[in-house]
Amino acid sequence: MTVSFDFFYQAIRAKQEFIGPHYHPCYELVYYVNGHGTTRIGQEQYIFSSGDYAIIAPCTVHEERATSQLHVMFTGLISSDSPPLVEGVYRDAPSRPILHLLHKLDFGLQNKRSMYKQMLNTIASELFIELFRTHPSEETDDRGDIIRYAQAYIDEYSLQKVDLQSLAAQYGYSYDRFRHLFKEKLGVSPTQYILLRRLERAKTLLLHSPLQVSVIAMECGFSTDAQFCSLFKREIGVTPGQYRMLVEPIIVNS
């Protein structure tokens, strides 16, 4: 089993603060130290309070709303060959083992003593094991593996034309059944997942390259720059040009 540390943050959220739909390429653990609110993970809605934590699988779309002032800690765990964790919101044990390990991560990051990166990976492994032992996977068939294989294929070829009908047939499913399983696992349809991957790549190119918008549209798999601009504004809230202008001062001064 290989688990490594990706990120760790703490935040104080104001009452009614809303964190919109987003996803991460790694597992995310969100710990609610104080306060309460609601979160949607994929298609499931949860209520949380102090001492609860959420497990969110890679690329699952999720969102969060604080219904009181909220102290939250969240960390990312990268797992390449480990058994899957079960998504959901759970209650930490009375001895707070999950919170204790998060404090260890925070301490390691603050102090940065020799070999601290290796230490963070060790703590991340402890955390992953504790989560898995507390909530073992009940997956009894290979459907979860099939969706992970399909996800990996789409990740590799998302900037090209992906024949989802053929991909579903390759794994022995009709497209409708494949779409249902994919959305059940990741919270979005295969088509929406491809769009999100393309937009993430487009955002990177807008921020870190001088390429024209029309060229970025082609690079990221969109049929026309008009289609790209329309979908970008629908999903991100601004046009590609506006997005680039908003962050341009940051790039120039960096």
Side-chain angles (χ1 to χ4, degrees):
M1 184 181 79
T2 304
V3 177
S4 57
F5 169 81
D6 191 19
F7 61 81
F8 176 87
Y9 300 101
Q10 294 194 62
I12 302 297
R13 311 240 196 261
K15 183 178 180 180
Q16 296 305 322
E17 183 174 349
F18 177 64
I19 306 300
H22 62 288
Y23 68 95
H24 306 279
C26 62
Y27 279 102
E28 184 181 26
L29 172 67
V30 183
Y31 196 102
Y32 305 106
V33 182
N34 287 303
H36 48 81
T38 62
T39 184
R40 180 179 294 278
I41 304 172
Q43 299 299 302
E44 298 296 324
Q45 182 83 21
Y46 300 91
I47 298 173
F48 61 79
S49 58
S50 303
D52 290 343
Y53 59 88
I55 299 174
I56 304 158
C59 295
T60 296
V61 176
H62 54 286
E63 60 187 41
E64 175 188 283
R65 184 180 298 277
T67 52
S68 72
Q69 181 172 286
L70 182 65
H71 177 194
V72 61
M73 306 170 76
F74 41 101
T75 189
L77 306 173
I78 300 172
S79 170
S80 58
D81 58 357
S82 306
L85 295 177
V86 181
E87 286 185 326
V89 172
Y90 305 98
R91 189 77 176 165
D92 202 359
S95 60
R96 298 290 192 264
I98 304 302
L99 182 59
H100 174 68
L101 288 168
L102 290 175
H103 281 310
K104 286 179 67 175
L105 281 176
D106 186 26
F107 182 82
L109 279 169
Q110 294 296 328
N111 286 270
K112 289 186 171 62
R113 298 173 61 184
S114 61
M115 298 187 69
Y116 80 96
K117 291 182 180 179
Q118 291 85 345
M119 185 194 70
L120 293 176
N121 288 336
T122 298
I123 300 170
S125 296
E126 289 184 61
L127 186 55
F128 195 97
I129 291 169
E130 182 66 31
L131 293 170
F132 183 78
R133 293 178 64 185
T134 307
H135 316 288
S137 173
E138 296 179 356
E139 196 169 273
T140 57
D141 58 31
D142 62 356
R143 289 178 298 176
D145 287 337
I146 287 173
I147 297 304
R148 282 191 289 274
Y149 297 150
Q151 179 187 354
Y153 178 88
I154 292 172
D155 287 344
E156 181 71 21
Y157 297 104
S158 60
L159 303 186
Q160 304 174 29
K161 182 176 176 58
V162 179
D163 187 340
L164 293 172
Q165 297 277 356
S166 297
L167 186 61
Q170 178 180 331
Y171 293 116
Y173 290 113
S174 68
Y175 175 69
D176 287 342
R177 180 58 176 162
F178 173 74
R179 180 183 182 281
H180 173 78
L181 292 173
F182 194 97
K183 189 170 184 178
E184 183 181 72
K185 181 69 177 176
L186 299 179
V188 292
S189 69
T191 302
Q192 182 69 9
Y193 183 79
I194 291 172
L195 175 60
L196 291 173
R197 296 288 296 181
R198 289 177 175 178
L199 290 176
E200 285 301 311
R201 177 58 179 164
K203 286 162 66 177
T204 298
L205 292 176
L206 286 167
L207 296 184
H208 303 295
S209 83
L211 294 175
Q212 295 181 351
V213 169
S214 59
V215 175
I216 291 175
M218 297 299 104
E219 288 280 338
C220 295
F222 295 94
S223 57
T224 66
D225 54 344
Q227 179 202 44
F228 169 54
C229 291
S230 175
L231 291 172
F232 193 97
K233 185 172 183 180
R234 188 189 74 185
E235 298 294 327
I236 310 301
V238 294
T239 67
Q242 290 169 336
Y243 182 82
R244 176 175 265 168
M245 289 176 64
L246 286 172
V247 300
E248 189 174 9
I250 298 175
I251 295 174
V252 170
N253 294 331
S254 62

